[in-house]
Amino acid sequence: MFQKEYTLIMVKPDAVRSNFTGKILARIEEEGFAIRAMKRVRLSLAQAQEFYSVHAARPFYGELCTFMASGPVVAAILERDNAVLHWRDVIGATDPAEAKENTIRKLFAKSKGENAVHGSDSVDNAKIEAAFFFSGLELAGQ
Ligand code: CMP
């Protein structure tokens, strides 16, 4: 029996711009996730750099942060059994060219950089990322 678990997800600027938010939210609910908190927000460049600071040494960091600040994202905390791994299965590989059929990135992503959605890579990072977007009050009762 799995414990209930949380993950932090984003609909990235490319998918928001392309009006895929509704389809992605529908898929979230079809997959059995409960949306526990959600907001649409445009990150500043400094906020994008902070969110992705773990990737600061990577060659794509600058491009990634500029893209993530290029328009609004929709961030949400999702709850489900095995939430972190299940969401990563649903979104598919980072590069949409390698993503399996019917994954969100196969359906909606443009490229490795503009890849439609984000998902936390661990339960510990989900907590850090949830606290980045949502205040104590918004997290209360989650
Ligand atoms: P995400 O799951 O949000 O976390 C890190 C992000 O870095 C990843 O999705 C990609 O969007 C991005 N990324 C990874 N590799 C590359 C790359 N080679 N070029 C541009 N962006 C990348």
Side-chain angles (χ1 to χ4, degrees), residues 15-30:
V16 173
R17 267 194 287 275
S18 300
N19 291 330
F20 293 143
T21 304
K23 289 191 174 76
I24 292 170
L25 293 178
R27 178 68 178 272
I28 283 169
E29 293 192 321
E30 283 162 19

Side-chain angles (χ1 to χ4, degrees), residues 3-137:
Q3 298 286 328
K4 285 284 185 194
E5 193 176 281
Y6 300 97
T7 190
L8 185 285
I9 72 102
M10 280 186 278
V11 181
K12 293 187 179 183
D14 59 313
V16 173
R17 267 194 287 275
S18 300
N19 291 330
F20 293 143
T21 304
K23 289 191 174 76
I24 292 170
L25 293 178
R27 178 68 178 272
I28 283 169
E29 293 192 321
E30 283 162 19
E31 293 288 340
F33 290 100
I35 300 171
R36 289 298 182 203
M38 183 163 67
K39 64 172 63 163
R40 180 184 188 272
V41 61
R42 182 168 180 175
L43 298 175
S44 68
L45 183 59
Q47 288 167 331
Q49 287 167 339
E50 183 189 342
F51 185 87
Y52 280 112
S53 58
V54 65
H55 295 304
R58 310 286 280 275
F60 56 80
Y61 179 65
E63 185 188 335
L64 171 63
C65 296
T66 302
F67 164 63
M68 290 302 293
S70 69
V73 301
V74 175
I77 298 173
L78 305 186
E79 177 188 351
R80 188 191 182 279
D81 296 346
N82 200 29
V84 169
L85 286 179
H86 190 77
W87 178 247
R88 291 182 78 82
D89 277 352
V90 170
I91 66 179
T94 302
D95 185 345
E98 292 166 15
K100 288 186 192 152
E101 287 304 315
N102 202 37
T103 58
I104 289 176
R105 284 172 172 159
K106 182 73 175 186
L107 293 169
F108 303 121
K110 295 180 177 20
S111 66
K112 207 188 262 188
E114 303 201 8
N115 63 355
V117 282
H118 167 81
S120 307
D121 64 4
S122 67
V123 170
D124 285 347
N125 280 337
K127 288 181 185 148
I128 294 167
E129 293 177 3
F132 177 89
F133 278 104
F134 297 97
S135 72
L137 186 63

